[in-house]
């Protein structure tokens, strides 16, 4: 009798303790076989090992589970809890998302200088999202081509884009075609496009190097890949769970140094694969980078007169 009573008491205590652990569903807007996803999966393993009894993450998959340009909507609506995406993939939720490509300082500094606070205000209000952190940085974007150019003029060239590159490549006269990363190889193979935008690293992940002749230097902007959570889900976590998850994301950000070395390695690997660099003289290169930034901000401000100017001020290095 007494033993049964004790067991009942133990069970009564065990139930709330077990209820403290929650599992969040995670999806990636980038393809399953990309390095971004490999690093995400490694991180999730670590989170799950350290998060027993507090919080667990369940990786559902990439674009095969939820298409690239639907991930933002799925996080907004709570179909999934966390998305790994870049802002350019969820401008269909709110247009300011694409502005993160224009930050001129790393995320560690963004946490101190008010950028992350402002971003979270906008992401909360307009996206129903909590911005958890940035796990790719120090990765400039480049234009990759199969036709040689002598100057920054893309008239007559069809270029694969996402919103990241739209204003800049458009300003150089390119014909634009938007696709998810998963469709770039086929577009190149069929000759539907003459080139594409992508960061310095990653073109080997999906075999695009087989169909790429040139990389245009210099790079521009800084590729952003981040983790965003459904706001209601985030707010529904216990304080302990929120703190744990936020700290785990900050630990993940702490490993962003990786990207710098990776970028230099990828440039060497591209050269070894026969991809030639197209370079401009110093003045043209400087004008090219300036045009990228100006076209980028003009695009953001046009879509968001409300937040664009404030973001420009905060994101630009003084
Ligand atoms: O698909 C893309 O070219 C793109 O917008 C992007 C953004 C961040 C990282 C990699 C690709």
């Amino acid at each position: 009798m007494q033993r049964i009573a004790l067991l009942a008491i133990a069970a009564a205590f065990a139930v709330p303790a077990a209820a403290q652990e929650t599992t969040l569903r995670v999806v990636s807007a980038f393809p399953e076989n990309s390095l971004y996803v490999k690093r995400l999966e490694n991180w999730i393993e670590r989170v799950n090992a350290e998060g027993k009894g507090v919080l667990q993450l369940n990786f559902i998959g990439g674009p095969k589970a939820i298409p690239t340009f639907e991930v933002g909507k799925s996080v907004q609506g709570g179909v999934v809890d966390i998305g790994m995406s870049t802002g350019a993939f969820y401008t269909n939720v709110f247009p300011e998302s694409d502005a993160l490509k224009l930050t001129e300082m790393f995320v560690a500094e963004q946490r101190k200088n008010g950028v992350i606070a402002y971003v979270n205000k906008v992401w909360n209000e307009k996206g129903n999202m909590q911005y958890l952190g940035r796990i790719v940085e120090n990765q400039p974007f480049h234009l990759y081509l199969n036709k040689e150019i002598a100057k920054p003029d893309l008239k007559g060239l069809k270029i694969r884009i996402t919103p990241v590159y739209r204003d800049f490549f458009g300003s150089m006269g390119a014909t634009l075609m938007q696709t998810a990363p998963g469709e770039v190889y086929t577009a190149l193979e069929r000759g539907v496009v003459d080139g594409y935008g992508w960061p310095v690293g990653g073109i080997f992940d999906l075999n695009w190097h087989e169909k790429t002749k040139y990389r245009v230097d210099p790079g521009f902007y800084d590729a952003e890949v981040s983790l965003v959570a459904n706001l209601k889900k985030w707010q529904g976590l216990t304080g302990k769970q929120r703190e744990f998850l936020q700290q785990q994301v900050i630990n993940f950000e702490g490993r962003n140094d990786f990207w710098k070395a990776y970028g230099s390695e990828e440039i060497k690997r591209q050269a070894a694969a026969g991809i030639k660099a197209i370079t401009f003289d110093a003045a043209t290169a400087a004008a090219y980078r300036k045009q990228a930034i100006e076209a980028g901000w003009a695009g953001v401000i046009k879509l968001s007169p409300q937040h664009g100017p404030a973001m420009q001020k905060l994101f630009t290095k003084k």
Side-chain angles (χ1 to χ4, degrees):
M1 189 63 196
Q2 207 179 16
R3 251 185 81 182
I4 290 167
L6 275 175
L7 280 176
I9 291 165
F13 277 100
V15 169
Q20 290 297 303
E21 184 181 288
T22 189
T23 300
L24 303 182
R25 292 154 50 90
V26 184
V27 295
S28 163
F30 288 93
E32 288 79 0
N33 44 356
S34 66
L35 180 62
Y36 302 153
V37 170
K38 285 192 193 111
R39 286 176 64 85
L40 176 74
E41 286 180 305
N42 288 342
W43 174 73
I44 288 177
E45 233 173 79
R46 201 176 305 207
V47 172
N48 289 345
E50 292 175 16
K52 290 204 172 65
V54 181
L55 184 134
Q56 298 286 291
L57 298 176
N58 177 14
F59 182 55
I60 307 292
K64 289 196 186 94
I66 303 214
T68 297
F69 295 110
E70 295 303 317
V71 166
K73 288 228 171 267
S74 301
V75 174
Q76 179 192 32
V79 172
V80 296
D81 304 316
I82 294 180
M84 178 179 77
S85 183
T86 185
F89 296 163
Y90 56 92
T91 54
N92 53 354
V93 180
F94 59 104
E96 292 87 350
S97 60
D98 184 40
L100 293 173
K101 69 189 179 195
L102 290 158
T103 52
E104 293 184 355
M105 68 294 293
F106 295 131
V107 69
E109 194 179 333
Q110 291 171 31
R111 291 197 175 280
K112 295 184 197 136
N113 69 0
V115 167
I116 295 294
Y118 195 91
V119 163
N120 250 326
K121 188 173 101 88
V122 179
W123 265 236
N124 284 184
E125 283 172 18
K126 298 195 75 173
N128 193 37
M129 287 178 194
Q130 179 72 12
Y131 183 84
L132 297 177
R134 180 159 177 160
I135 52 175
V136 174
E137 55 184 354
N138 223 327
Q139 290 285 288
F141 291 101
H142 285 265
L143 167 63
Y144 296 87
L145 290 175
N146 280 327
K147 290 187 181 148
E148 200 166 5
I149 54 168
K151 55 182 181 8
D153 181 355
L154 302 179
K155 275 188 222 68
L157 295 182
K158 207 161 175 198
I159 308 291
R160 172 271 173 185
I161 57 146
T162 67
V164 164
Y165 324 94
R166 182 179 292 134
D167 300 298
F168 180 37
F169 293 175
S171 76
M172 291 188 284
T175 301
L176 309 174
M177 190 185 133
Q178 174 158 310
T179 84
E183 283 140 38
V184 173
Y185 187 89
T186 311
L188 289 166
E189 192 178 35
R190 296 194 181 149
V192 173
V193 294
D194 304 305
Y196 56 94
W198 193 259
V200 64
I203 70 164
F204 294 89
D205 294 4
L206 297 157
N207 295 321
W208 301 345
H209 65 288
E210 292 172 4
K211 308 281 171 200
T212 305
K213 293 199 181 120
Y214 306 100
R215 182 192 65 253
V216 177
D217 287 348
F220 52 91
Y221 309 152
D222 190 19
E224 161 269 329
V225 177
S226 299
L227 293 172
V228 287
N230 173 270
L231 183 60
K232 294 291 161 305
K233 196 76 185 191
W234 169 256
Q235 289 169 339
L237 296 176
T238 66
K240 189 176 172 191
Q241 287 166 338
R242 268 198 304 270
E243 263 166 50
F244 171 76
L245 179 57
Q246 186 60 79
Q247 191 53 53
Q248 289 293 328
V249 175
I250 289 173
N251 295 349
F252 199 0
E253 285 181 350
R255 300 205 283 277
N256 280 350
D257 268 358
F258 164 84
W259 296 109
K260 194 174 166 62
Y262 173 71
S264 332
E265 284 161 21
E266 287 281 284
I267 284 177
K268 285 188 210 138
R269 200 173 164 201
Q270 288 176 15
I275 296 171
K276 294 194 186 72
I278 293 177
T279 55
F280 305 126
D281 63 79
T284 308
Y288 177 84
R289 282 176 62 89
K290 187 162 177 267
Q291 188 175 333
I293 294 168
E294 284 175 1
W297 277 119
V300 169
I301 290 165
K302 190 170 166 218
L303 292 173
S304 181
Q306 187 193 0
H307 295 295
M311 286 177 134
Q312 182 175 23
K313 217 168 162 187
L314 273 167
F315 293 9
T316 303
K317 195 95 192 154
K318 308 242 157 24

